[in-house]
Structures are given as C-alpha cells and as structure tokens.
Amino acid sequence: MTTTWPNTTIGNTSATTTSYHGNNAESARIASLHAKYITISVSGIFSNVILVLLIFLSKTLRTTPLFWNILNLCVYDSVTVMFVIPFGLDYELDWSWSYDEWTCKMWYAADFWHMLMAGTVIFCICIDRIVAVLQTFISIKVKLLRFISIFLVTLPWVFLVAVCIPLLVVFEHPESKLPSTMCFFQFHDRHMMTVAFISLALPNILLIIACNLMLFVYVLRGGNWNKISSNREDTEEIRLKMSITAVWVVVAVSLLCWLPVTFLAFFSVLFRSKCKGFTWDDFTDVYLLQVMTSSITPFLWIILPEVRHELAVWRRFISGVLRFRNKPNDSLVPSYQTETDDNETEIQDNTI
C-alpha cells in the first residue's frame, strides 16, 4: 500500500500501545484493514475470473479485438487483487516484510505501476472504440484494422517492459540503506516529480484525452445515429453505441477513483511539511479507493450486450443441468405413485 507515496514520512499507526483504549483501537484498525482488503480482493477475483472465462469460452468474444483489450485489463486487475492486495495487507499489519527480495521487487513494481498500466489499457480500449466508429463512415482497409487491433493489444505489454520496468531501475537510489524487514524503493529526490507524474498524473491525462477524442468522433459521426446511413445492421449499431457507453462509464469510474490518490500524492510531494497530520489510515483509505477499480470494472462490462448474452447462455445451461440432475429424483415418486394407484384400482375392480 505504501508504494504510492514512497518518500512521505508519516507516523506508524500500527505501534502497539499499553493502554486499554489503545489496544481496542489497534484491534479495530486491524479488523477494518482485513475487511477492506479482503472484500476488494475476493470481489475482484470473482469478477475478473468470471469475465475471463466468458471471453475464453465464447468464440464470438475471444475473436473480437475489443474483448482482447478487456482481457488485458482483467490480467492487470487480477495481478492486483490476487498478488498486490494480499501481500500489501500482510505487510501493513506489522510493517515487516517476511518474504524474499525478489518477491518484494515484484510486489512493489506491480503495485506502483497498477494505475498506469490499467490507464494505458483503458486508453487502448477507447482508441479501439474510436476506430470502430470511424469505420462506420470511413473506408478502412482490413489489413490496417488488423494492424491497429494487434498494436492496441500489445502496446500495454511493450510499454511495461520497455518503459515501466527500466524506470524503476533508473530512478532507484542505490546508495539508500533500508532495514531488511522493509519492502521499499527509495527514489532520488530529483526524480520524485517525474515518478509521480508518470505513475499518477499520466493515467488520468490519458483517460481525459481519450474521453475528449471519443466525444469528438461521436459528434463527427452524428448525435442522432438513426438518421445517418451506415453499412451496419441495426443490432451492430446498438452494440457499438452500448460499447461506447460502457467505455465512458469505465473511464468515469476510473477517474473518480484515481483522482483523489493523485491529488493527495502530489500534495504530499509538494508540501511534505504539511502532511504530518495525515495518518497511514488516511492514506490507506484513498489507496484502497484507487485499487477498488480492479474489482468494480469487470462488473461494469455487463453493459455490453455481448456479455449479457453470454451470461444468459450460461445461466440457461446451468439451469438445464440442474433440472436434469433433479429430474430423476422428482419424477420417480409421481410415476411410482401413479403405478401404485393403478394397481390398487385393478385389485379393487377384481374384488368387486
């Protein structure tokens, strides 16, 4: 959790106190941390796994470039809810890192670049929707469309390997000495604003630019889509409009969750002396608001008609399986009772 504000000095609220009220407060803090972290992690694992399975098990979804970009986002979000949050909770409880140095670096990098990577993927999703809209009134060659799709899917990974990971090496302060029980990257003071801009400000800037581009293309395409001739079928028009709506919702939710942590981090860097009133609990709440997108975003894609259709298919399939399993048990008793009643009637008739 602490990686978002690497050089901020704040009192450790986890220190053990001897007073009765202090012990109660510490117990309440630990319980609150468990509830917050576990809720985000469990809901994020559930939502991301369900969405990944829907994409992989559907031939329609897994052959659509949009859903490959959504799959990229699920991968980054899954790393956060399955790796970053559990290790972060364990580390924050007593501020002691009990794992090896390599795991520490992997955890730190995944945590530190989460917002940037998620923002880059969402930006690529926005560009994909912009291209889809342009395709409705501009002739674009199939080869060019294929190249754009591949480029948008691979761009976040190339950016991670070629930019994000090297920046951690370049900006690290190798001469700084930290306790072996801590998992921390110490940056040069002259690089703090650059690190804060790239990791925090840049994702928000990318999303704002993407929103403006989508709005511009939407206006260019025409506000009333039904009055514009298009080579697409009505159902495809509806799907395109719904996909744009879904992307706008995802961008809006991401900005609402990311802007508070961005403002607070820049405030802590620029006005470090005025941050003494903040506690780790205050920073934790804002940080958890940031990572909460990893569990919220997968649910938002239910706006897409394709996702709702796949969910309906699987719901009918599961209902059919359950009915098939229960049918023998349910039908056995009525058939037995019918056969018994018939036999009793025949006996009574013969007796008469």
Side-chain angles (χ1 to χ4, degrees):
M1 166 261 161
T2 57
T3 58
T4 310
W5 304 278
N7 283 16
T8 305
T9 303
I10 298 178
N12 191 342
T13 59
S14 65
T16 304
T17 60
T18 57
S19 66
Y20 175 77
H21 295 290
N23 289 332
N24 284 342
E26 180 64 13
S27 299
R29 186 190 76 88
I30 293 176
S32 175
L33 280 177
H34 276 92
K36 294 174 182 177
Y37 276 80
I38 293 175
T39 300
I40 295 176
S41 183
V42 172
S43 61
I45 292 173
F46 173 79
S47 59
N48 282 283
V49 168
I50 292 297
L51 186 56
V52 169
L53 289 177
L54 284 178
I55 295 175
F56 272 119
L57 296 177
S58 172
K59 183 178 180 180
T60 302
L61 299 188
R62 68 172 181 264
T63 56
T64 305
L66 170 63
F67 288 95
W68 275 101
N69 286 287
I70 294 176
L71 190 62
N72 267 348
L73 187 59
C74 287
V75 172
Y76 289 115
D77 289 340
S78 297
V79 171
T80 300
V81 297
M82 295 182 182
F83 179 65
V84 173
I85 292 180
F87 278 91
L89 174 61
D90 179 70
Y91 181 50
E92 190 174 348
L93 289 177
D94 56 4
W95 299 110
S96 177
W97 186 259
S98 55
Y99 307 96
D100 56 76
E101 183 179 356
W102 173 251
T103 305
C104 166
K105 291 183 177 181
M106 293 289 291
W107 173 74
Y108 183 91
D111 186 16
F112 195 76
W113 297 124
H114 163 255
M115 187 190 299
L116 179 58
M117 288 298 96
T120 304
V121 175
I122 298 175
F123 177 79
C124 291
I125 293 175
C126 294
I127 300 301
D128 176 83
R129 292 300 85 195
I130 291 173
V131 174
V133 174
L134 291 175
Q135 189 183 359
T136 62
F137 62 96
I138 296 178
S139 177
I140 303 178
K141 295 182 178 180
V142 177
K143 291 184 178 180
L144 179 59
L145 288 174
R146 188 176 301 171
F147 172 78
I148 294 175
S149 300
I150 296 174
F151 175 77
L152 293 177
V153 172
T154 57
L155 176 62
W157 297 99
V158 174
F159 185 69
L160 175 65
V161 175
V163 178
C164 294
I165 296 178
L167 282 180
L168 282 179
V169 178
V170 172
F171 290 154
E172 185 182 7
H173 195 338
E175 298 179 359
S176 62
K177 300 296 182 182
L178 294 172
S180 58
T181 57
M182 295 185 65
C183 180
F184 222 76
F185 268 41
Q186 192 74 16
F187 294 95
H188 289 281
D189 289 339
R190 63 178 181 271
H191 292 152
M192 283 305 302
M193 286 302 300
T194 304
V195 171
F197 176 81
I198 294 176
S199 61
L200 299 173
L202 184 58
N204 295 282
I205 293 174
L206 287 176
L207 295 189
I208 293 173
I209 292 174
C211 274
N212 289 323
L213 287 175
M214 290 179 65
L215 181 61
F216 173 77
V217 174
Y218 184 88
V219 173
L220 184 65
R221 174 65 164 80
N224 191 347
W225 289 46
N226 294 328
K227 293 183 179 180
I228 299 177
S229 59
S230 174
N231 58 353
R232 291 173 174 263
E233 299 292 338
D234 291 340
T235 55
E236 293 184 355
E237 286 287 332
I238 294 174
R239 289 179 180 178
L240 180 58
K241 286 187 285 187
M242 293 302 294
S243 67
I244 293 174
T245 302
V247 173
W248 265 328
V249 171
V250 169
V251 171
V253 171
S254 299
L255 288 174
L256 287 175
C257 294
W258 293 351
L259 285 176
V261 71
T262 302
F263 289 139
L264 185 56
F266 271 96
F267 184 84
S268 65
V269 172
L270 294 174
F271 307 101
R272 193 174 304 176
S273 61
K274 298 182 180 181
C275 294
K276 296 180 179 179
F278 292 112
T279 64
W280 279 121
D281 291 338
D282 298 328
F283 280 89
T284 298
D285 291 336
V286 181
Y287 168 77
L288 289 178
L289 181 64
Q290 170 205 332
V291 298
M292 195 181 298
T293 55
S294 298
S295 59
I296 295 177
T297 302
F299 289 111
L300 298 178
W301 295 117
I302 199 172
I303 299 175
L304 297 174
E306 299 92 331
V307 174
R308 294 201 303 271
H309 172 73
E310 293 299 326
L311 286 173
V313 170
W314 279 103
R315 186 174 63 250
R316 289 195 299 268
F317 173 77
I318 294 174
S319 299
V321 171
L322 294 177
R323 283 197 302 268
F324 178 78
R325 292 184 59 184
N326 295 331
K327 185 177 180 180
N329 296 329
D330 296 338
S331 61
L332 180 59
V333 175
S335 62
Y336 172 77
Q337 289 178 344
T338 303
E339 183 179 355
T340 304
D341 293 338
D342 293 338
N343 292 335
E344 290 178 352
T345 303
E346 290 178 4
I347 294 172
Q348 292 175 358
D349 293 340
N350 293 334
T351 305
I352 294 173

